[in-house]
mmCIF file of all heavy atoms in Angstrom:
data_model
loop_
_atom_site.group_PDB
_atom_site.id
_atom_site.type_symbol
_atom_site.label_atom_id
_atom_site.label_comp_id
_atom_site.label_asym_id
_atom_site.label_seq_id
_atom_site.Cartn_x
_atom_site.Cartn_y
_atom_site.Cartn_z
ATOM 1 N N SER A 140 -12.121 -13.649 -29.389
ATOM 2 C CA SER A 140 -12.949 -12.575 -29.896
ATOM 3 C C SER A 140 -14.419 -12.918 -29.595
ATOM 4 O O SER A 140 -14.936 -13.992 -29.834
ATOM 5 C CB SER A 140 -12.792 -12.466 -31.391
ATOM 6 O OG SER A 140 -13.607 -11.375 -31.917
ATOM 7 N N VAL A 141 -15.146 -11.927 -28.968
ATOM 8 C CA VAL A 141 -16.507 -12.070 -28.539
ATOM 9 C C VAL A 141 -17.267 -10.754 -28.945
ATOM 10 O O VAL A 141 -16.666 -9.711 -28.971
ATOM 11 C CB VAL A 141 -16.624 -12.440 -27.074
ATOM 12 C CG1 VAL A 141 -15.965 -13.724 -26.753
ATOM 13 C CG2 VAL A 141 -16.056 -11.258 -26.289
ATOM 14 N N PRO A 142 -18.575 -10.876 -29.089
ATOM 15 C CA PRO A 142 -19.332 -9.661 -29.270
ATOM 16 C C PRO A 142 -19.521 -8.997 -27.950
ATOM 17 O O PRO A 142 -19.399 -9.495 -26.926
ATOM 18 C CB PRO A 142 -20.734 -10.231 -29.859
ATOM 19 C CG PRO A 142 -20.807 -11.649 -29.228
ATOM 20 C CD PRO A 142 -19.365 -12.144 -29.195
ATOM 21 N N PRO A 143 -19.957 -7.687 -28.051
ATOM 22 C CA PRO A 143 -20.304 -6.947 -26.810
ATOM 23 C C PRO A 143 -21.289 -7.746 -25.966
ATOM 24 O O PRO A 143 -22.229 -8.258 -26.519
ATOM 25 C CB PRO A 143 -20.835 -5.644 -27.292
ATOM 26 C CG PRO A 143 -20.219 -5.436 -28.673
ATOM 27 C CD PRO A 143 -20.104 -6.836 -29.211
ATOM 28 N N GLY A 144 -21.088 -7.728 -24.684
ATOM 29 C CA GLY A 144 -21.891 -8.502 -23.793
ATOM 30 C C GLY A 144 -21.449 -9.911 -23.557
ATOM 31 O O GLY A 144 -22.023 -10.578 -22.694
ATOM 32 N N GLY A 145 -20.532 -10.355 -24.323
ATOM 33 C CA GLY A 145 -20.003 -11.675 -24.173
ATOM 34 C C GLY A 145 -19.070 -11.822 -22.976
ATOM 35 O O GLY A 145 -18.785 -10.914 -22.233
ATOM 36 N N SER A 146 -18.520 -13.020 -22.872
ATOM 37 C CA SER A 146 -17.644 -13.361 -21.735
ATOM 38 C C SER A 146 -16.327 -14.076 -22.198
ATOM 39 O O SER A 146 -16.353 -14.741 -23.255
ATOM 40 C CB SER A 146 -18.299 -14.251 -20.723
ATOM 41 O OG SER A 146 -19.426 -13.616 -20.124
ATOM 42 N N LEU A 147 -15.272 -13.876 -21.434
ATOM 43 C CA LEU A 147 -14.080 -14.584 -21.675
ATOM 44 C C LEU A 147 -13.464 -14.967 -20.306
ATOM 45 O O LEU A 147 -13.692 -14.247 -19.354
ATOM 46 C CB LEU A 147 -13.002 -13.759 -22.462
ATOM 47 C CG LEU A 147 -13.219 -13.460 -23.870
ATOM 48 C CD1 LEU A 147 -12.215 -12.475 -24.399
ATOM 49 C CD2 LEU A 147 -13.111 -14.800 -24.676
ATOM 50 N N THR A 148 -12.868 -16.089 -20.228
ATOM 51 C CA THR A 148 -12.101 -16.510 -19.044
ATOM 52 C C THR A 148 -10.660 -16.636 -19.385
ATOM 53 O O THR A 148 -10.276 -17.534 -20.168
ATOM 54 C CB THR A 148 -12.677 -17.866 -18.451
ATOM 55 O OG1 THR A 148 -14.070 -17.669 -18.227
ATOM 56 C CG2 THR A 148 -11.993 -18.220 -17.200
ATOM 57 N N LEU A 149 -9.835 -15.850 -18.683
ATOM 58 C CA LEU A 149 -8.434 -15.863 -18.949
ATOM 59 C C LEU A 149 -7.772 -16.710 -17.824
ATOM 60 O O LEU A 149 -8.175 -16.607 -16.660
ATOM 61 C CB LEU A 149 -7.805 -14.455 -18.914
ATOM 62 C CG LEU A 149 -8.504 -13.484 -19.931
ATOM 63 C CD1 LEU A 149 -7.725 -12.140 -19.878
ATOM 64 C CD2 LEU A 149 -8.552 -13.989 -21.310
ATOM 65 N N SER A 150 -6.716 -17.348 -18.189
ATOM 66 C CA SER A 150 -5.916 -18.134 -17.229
ATOM 67 C C SER A 150 -4.484 -17.721 -17.283
ATOM 68 O O SER A 150 -3.988 -17.319 -18.358
ATOM 69 C CB SER A 150 -6.067 -19.627 -17.584
ATOM 70 O OG SER A 150 -7.381 -20.098 -17.436
ATOM 71 N N CYS A 151 -3.832 -17.845 -16.212
ATOM 72 C CA CYS A 151 -2.350 -17.526 -16.120
ATOM 73 C C CYS A 151 -1.755 -18.654 -15.286
ATOM 74 O O CYS A 151 -2.002 -18.766 -14.075
ATOM 75 C CB CYS A 151 -2.193 -16.226 -15.451
ATOM 76 S SG CYS A 151 -0.422 -15.769 -15.116
ATOM 77 N N GLU A 152 -0.982 -19.500 -15.988
ATOM 78 C CA GLU A 152 -0.364 -20.633 -15.240
ATOM 79 C C GLU A 152 1.077 -20.318 -15.003
ATOM 80 O O GLU A 152 1.830 -19.915 -15.863
ATOM 81 C CB GLU A 152 -0.495 -21.870 -16.174
ATOM 82 C CG GLU A 152 0.068 -23.106 -15.483
ATOM 83 C CD GLU A 152 -0.100 -24.350 -16.319
ATOM 84 O OE1 GLU A 152 -0.714 -24.278 -17.438
ATOM 85 O OE2 GLU A 152 0.235 -25.473 -15.911
ATOM 86 N N ALA A 153 1.543 -20.576 -13.750
ATOM 87 C CA ALA A 153 2.880 -20.298 -13.358
ATOM 88 C C ALA A 153 3.686 -21.589 -13.494
ATOM 89 O O ALA A 153 3.264 -22.668 -13.128
ATOM 90 C CB ALA A 153 2.965 -19.773 -11.899
ATOM 91 N N SER A 154 4.951 -21.469 -13.957
ATOM 92 C CA SER A 154 5.840 -22.509 -14.022
ATOM 93 C C SER A 154 7.237 -22.142 -13.415
ATOM 94 O O SER A 154 7.645 -20.981 -13.624
ATOM 95 C CB SER A 154 6.124 -23.021 -15.408
ATOM 96 O OG SER A 154 4.888 -23.458 -16.033
ATOM 97 N N GLY A 155 7.873 -23.071 -12.754
ATOM 98 C CA GLY A 155 9.206 -22.711 -12.170
ATOM 99 C C GLY A 155 9.150 -22.000 -10.820
ATOM 100 O O GLY A 155 10.230 -21.797 -10.275
ATOM 101 N N PHE A 156 8.019 -21.677 -10.333
ATOM 102 C CA PHE A 156 7.830 -21.103 -9.016
ATOM 103 C C PHE A 156 6.462 -21.227 -8.504
ATOM 104 O O PHE A 156 5.567 -21.611 -9.356
ATOM 105 C CB PHE A 156 8.237 -19.650 -8.967
ATOM 106 C CG PHE A 156 7.308 -18.720 -9.750
ATOM 107 C CD1 PHE A 156 6.340 -18.003 -9.119
ATOM 108 C CD2 PHE A 156 7.461 -18.577 -11.132
ATOM 109 C CE1 PHE A 156 5.485 -17.146 -9.835
ATOM 110 C CE2 PHE A 156 6.651 -17.771 -11.835
ATOM 111 C CZ PHE A 156 5.624 -16.991 -11.170
ATOM 112 N N THR A 157 6.210 -21.017 -7.235
ATOM 113 C CA THR A 157 4.869 -21.132 -6.668
ATOM 114 C C THR A 157 4.148 -19.801 -6.687
ATOM 115 O O THR A 157 4.549 -18.937 -5.985
ATOM 116 C CB THR A 157 5.022 -21.725 -5.210
ATOM 117 O OG1 THR A 157 5.692 -22.957 -5.240
ATOM 118 C CG2 THR A 157 3.638 -21.902 -4.624
ATOM 119 N N ALA A 158 3.121 -19.766 -7.519
ATOM 120 C CA ALA A 158 2.430 -18.499 -7.709
ATOM 121 C C ALA A 158 1.745 -18.032 -6.432
ATOM 122 O O ALA A 158 1.585 -16.845 -6.230
ATOM 123 C CB ALA A 158 1.390 -18.667 -8.830
ATOM 124 N N SER A 159 1.331 -18.949 -5.573
ATOM 125 C CA SER A 159 0.568 -18.557 -4.346
ATOM 126 C C SER A 159 1.448 -17.813 -3.390
ATOM 127 O O SER A 159 0.989 -17.188 -2.463
ATOM 128 C CB SER A 159 -0.023 -19.776 -3.713
ATOM 129 O OG SER A 159 1.024 -20.731 -3.329
ATOM 130 N N ALA A 160 2.756 -17.794 -3.647
ATOM 131 C CA ALA A 160 3.688 -17.059 -2.740
ATOM 132 C C ALA A 160 3.833 -15.551 -3.125
ATOM 133 O O ALA A 160 4.547 -14.910 -2.444
ATOM 134 C CB ALA A 160 5.081 -17.755 -2.698
ATOM 135 N N TYR A 161 3.214 -15.277 -4.223
ATOM 136 C CA TYR A 161 3.327 -13.872 -4.705
ATOM 137 C C TYR A 161 1.973 -13.209 -4.865
ATOM 138 O O TYR A 161 0.949 -13.820 -5.048
ATOM 139 C CB TYR A 161 3.988 -13.891 -6.117
ATOM 140 C CG TYR A 161 5.334 -14.389 -6.128
ATOM 141 C CD1 TYR A 161 5.678 -15.712 -6.202
ATOM 142 C CD2 TYR A 161 6.436 -13.487 -6.042
ATOM 143 C CE1 TYR A 161 7.037 -16.189 -6.167
ATOM 144 C CE2 TYR A 161 7.763 -13.969 -6.068
ATOM 145 C CZ TYR A 161 8.015 -15.308 -6.130
ATOM 146 O OH TYR A 161 9.304 -15.729 -6.197
ATOM 147 N N CYS A 162 1.995 -11.941 -4.743
ATOM 148 C CA CYS A 162 0.918 -11.124 -5.200
ATOM 149 C C CYS A 162 0.866 -11.171 -6.784
ATOM 150 O O CYS A 162 1.857 -11.005 -7.424
ATOM 151 C CB CYS A 162 1.027 -9.684 -4.760
ATOM 152 S SG CYS A 162 -0.452 -8.652 -5.001
ATOM 153 N N MET A 163 -0.320 -11.390 -7.306
ATOM 154 C CA MET A 163 -0.435 -11.507 -8.722
ATOM 155 C C MET A 163 -1.563 -10.639 -9.295
ATOM 156 O O MET A 163 -2.535 -10.318 -8.537
ATOM 157 C CB MET A 163 -0.708 -12.989 -9.144
ATOM 158 C CG MET A 163 0.415 -13.884 -8.764
ATOM 159 S SD MET A 163 0.163 -15.574 -9.390
ATOM 160 C CE MET A 163 0.468 -15.282 -11.175
ATOM 161 N N GLY A 164 -1.477 -10.279 -10.532
ATOM 162 C CA GLY A 164 -2.488 -9.374 -11.123
ATOM 163 C C GLY A 164 -2.512 -9.521 -12.566
ATOM 164 O O GLY A 164 -1.733 -10.086 -13.218
ATOM 165 N N TRP A 165 -3.659 -8.864 -13.090
ATOM 166 C CA TRP A 165 -3.895 -8.759 -14.547
ATOM 167 C C TRP A 165 -3.725 -7.336 -14.971
ATOM 168 O O TRP A 165 -4.264 -6.437 -14.279
ATOM 169 C CB TRP A 165 -5.272 -9.319 -14.894
ATOM 170 C CG TRP A 165 -5.452 -10.759 -14.759
ATOM 171 C CD1 TRP A 165 -5.976 -11.510 -13.732
ATOM 172 C CD2 TRP A 165 -5.091 -11.698 -15.792
ATOM 173 N NE1 TRP A 165 -5.946 -12.811 -13.984
ATOM 174 C CE2 TRP A 165 -5.392 -12.975 -15.239
ATOM 175 C CE3 TRP A 165 -4.541 -11.621 -17.031
ATOM 176 C CZ2 TRP A 165 -5.239 -14.166 -15.975
ATOM 177 C CZ3 TRP A 165 -4.371 -12.767 -17.797
ATOM 178 C CH2 TRP A 165 -4.680 -14.066 -17.156
ATOM 179 N N PHE A 166 -3.099 -7.165 -16.035
ATOM 180 C CA PHE A 166 -2.935 -5.810 -16.587
ATOM 181 C C PHE A 166 -3.371 -5.911 -18.113
ATOM 182 O O PHE A 166 -3.434 -6.996 -18.692
ATOM 183 C CB PHE A 166 -1.477 -5.410 -16.572
ATOM 184 C CG PHE A 166 -1.040 -5.097 -15.194
ATOM 185 C CD1 PHE A 166 -0.677 -6.217 -14.353
ATOM 186 C CD2 PHE A 166 -0.847 -3.880 -14.660
ATOM 187 C CE1 PHE A 166 -0.225 -6.025 -13.036
ATOM 188 C CE2 PHE A 166 -0.482 -3.685 -13.350
ATOM 189 C CZ PHE A 166 -0.128 -4.751 -12.541
ATOM 190 N N ARG A 167 -3.686 -4.789 -18.710
ATOM 191 C CA ARG A 167 -3.989 -4.809 -20.153
ATOM 192 C C ARG A 167 -3.418 -3.571 -20.831
ATOM 193 O O ARG A 167 -3.164 -2.533 -20.216
ATOM 194 C CB ARG A 167 -5.500 -4.858 -20.340
ATOM 195 C CG ARG A 167 -6.280 -3.636 -19.864
ATOM 196 C CD ARG A 167 -7.767 -3.851 -20.001
ATOM 197 N NE ARG A 167 -8.555 -2.616 -19.562
ATOM 198 C CZ ARG A 167 -9.880 -2.621 -19.569
ATOM 199 N NH1 ARG A 167 -10.603 -3.698 -19.870
ATOM 200 N NH2 ARG A 167 -10.491 -1.469 -19.197
ATOM 201 N N GLN A 168 -3.195 -3.746 -22.185
ATOM 202 C CA GLN A 168 -2.641 -2.699 -22.917
ATOM 203 C C GLN A 168 -3.101 -2.651 -24.346
ATOM 204 O O GLN A 168 -3.324 -3.748 -24.920
ATOM 205 C CB GLN A 168 -1.110 -2.903 -22.966
ATOM 206 C CG GLN A 168 -0.345 -1.763 -23.633
ATOM 207 C CD GLN A 168 1.140 -1.914 -23.418
ATOM 208 O OE1 GLN A 168 1.714 -3.013 -23.268
ATOM 209 N NE2 GLN A 168 1.874 -0.851 -23.436
ATOM 210 N N THR A 169 -3.375 -1.520 -24.891
ATOM 211 C CA THR A 169 -3.751 -1.296 -26.315
ATOM 212 C C THR A 169 -2.647 -0.527 -26.892
ATOM 213 O O THR A 169 -1.833 0.111 -26.235
ATOM 214 C CB THR A 169 -5.113 -0.563 -26.435
ATOM 215 O OG1 THR A 169 -5.026 0.691 -25.717
ATOM 216 C CG2 THR A 169 -6.200 -1.366 -25.816
ATOM 217 N N PRO A 170 -2.552 -0.581 -28.288
ATOM 218 C CA PRO A 170 -1.456 0.135 -28.964
ATOM 219 C C PRO A 170 -1.452 1.604 -28.673
ATOM 220 O O PRO A 170 -2.502 2.252 -28.642
ATOM 221 C CB PRO A 170 -1.753 -0.141 -30.483
ATOM 222 C CG PRO A 170 -2.453 -1.425 -30.449
ATOM 223 C CD PRO A 170 -3.318 -1.424 -29.229
ATOM 224 N N GLY A 171 -0.258 2.140 -28.333
ATOM 225 C CA GLY A 171 -0.117 3.556 -28.036
ATOM 226 C C GLY A 171 -0.556 3.910 -26.650
ATOM 227 O O GLY A 171 -0.451 5.113 -26.227
ATOM 228 N N LYS A 172 -0.974 2.934 -25.811
ATOM 229 C CA LYS A 172 -1.407 3.239 -24.454
ATOM 230 C C LYS A 172 -0.486 2.524 -23.475
ATOM 231 O O LYS A 172 0.188 1.511 -23.776
ATOM 232 C CB LYS A 172 -2.821 2.744 -24.232
ATOM 233 C CG LYS A 172 -3.886 3.305 -25.144
ATOM 234 C CD LYS A 172 -4.183 4.694 -24.847
ATOM 235 C CE LYS A 172 -5.338 5.204 -25.732
ATOM 236 N NZ LYS A 172 -5.686 6.622 -25.424
ATOM 237 N N GLU A 173 -0.433 3.138 -22.280
ATOM 238 C CA GLU A 173 0.328 2.541 -21.206
ATOM 239 C C GLU A 173 -0.443 1.330 -20.707
ATOM 240 O O GLU A 173 -1.670 1.304 -20.677
ATOM 241 C CB GLU A 173 0.657 3.504 -20.137
ATOM 242 C CG GLU A 173 1.547 4.589 -20.459
ATOM 243 C CD GLU A 173 1.787 5.589 -19.353
ATOM 244 O OE1 GLU A 173 1.167 5.463 -18.292
ATOM 245 O OE2 GLU A 173 2.687 6.452 -19.492
ATOM 246 N N ARG A 174 0.224 0.398 -20.107
ATOM 247 C CA ARG A 174 -0.371 -0.673 -19.469
ATOM 248 C C ARG A 174 -1.186 -0.208 -18.262
ATOM 249 O O ARG A 174 -0.647 0.626 -17.447
ATOM 250 C CB ARG A 174 0.627 -1.796 -19.055
ATOM 251 C CG ARG A 174 0.652 -2.950 -19.952
ATOM 252 C CD ARG A 174 1.610 -4.030 -19.457
ATOM 253 N NE ARG A 174 2.966 -3.642 -19.832
ATOM 254 C CZ ARG A 174 3.973 -4.495 -19.935
ATOM 255 N NH1 ARG A 174 3.738 -5.837 -19.805
ATOM 256 N NH2 ARG A 174 5.154 -4.113 -20.268
ATOM 257 N N GLU A 175 -2.307 -0.712 -18.033
ATOM 258 C CA GLU A 175 -3.106 -0.331 -16.924
ATOM 259 C C GLU A 175 -3.520 -1.622 -16.074
ATOM 260 O O GLU A 175 -3.695 -2.619 -16.631
ATOM 261 C CB GLU A 175 -4.462 0.371 -17.300
ATOM 262 C CG GLU A 175 -5.394 -0.450 -18.118
ATOM 263 C CD GLU A 175 -6.678 0.257 -18.372
ATOM 264 O OE1 GLU A 175 -7.075 1.093 -17.518
ATOM 265 O OE2 GLU A 175 -7.384 -0.076 -19.389
ATOM 266 N N GLY A 176 -3.518 -1.409 -14.773
ATOM 267 C CA GLY A 176 -3.865 -2.450 -13.870
ATOM 268 C C GLY A 176 -5.392 -2.799 -13.984
ATOM 269 O O GLY A 176 -6.189 -1.860 -14.059
ATOM 270 N N VAL A 177 -5.695 -4.014 -14.001
ATOM 271 C CA VAL A 177 -7.128 -4.475 -14.080
ATOM 272 C C VAL A 177 -7.625 -5.045 -12.787
ATOM 273 O O VAL A 177 -8.659 -4.629 -12.294
ATOM 274 C CB VAL A 177 -7.293 -5.492 -15.236
ATOM 275 C CG1 VAL A 177 -8.746 -6.020 -15.275
ATOM 276 C CG2 VAL A 177 -6.894 -4.880 -16.511
#
């Protein structure tokens, strides 16, 4: 949780496969909304 204007750094760690072999992306979702690509 951060105030407006703040920053966050998200990480996504892969296990069991090599992530660099795939296209990867970030998506986000709020309640009642469809997931959207970021």
Side-chain angles (χ1 to χ4, degrees):
S140 181
V141 297
S146 298
L147 287 171
T148 301
L149 307 183
S150 299
C151 174
E152 184 177 0
S154 300
F156 67 99
T157 302
S159 60
Y161 296 85
C162 190
M163 299 187 68
W165 288 97
F166 296 77
R167 65 185 183 184
Q168 187 172 27
T169 57
K172 303 287 187 179
E173 296 182 350
R174 258 182 279 204
E175 63 174 334
V177 176

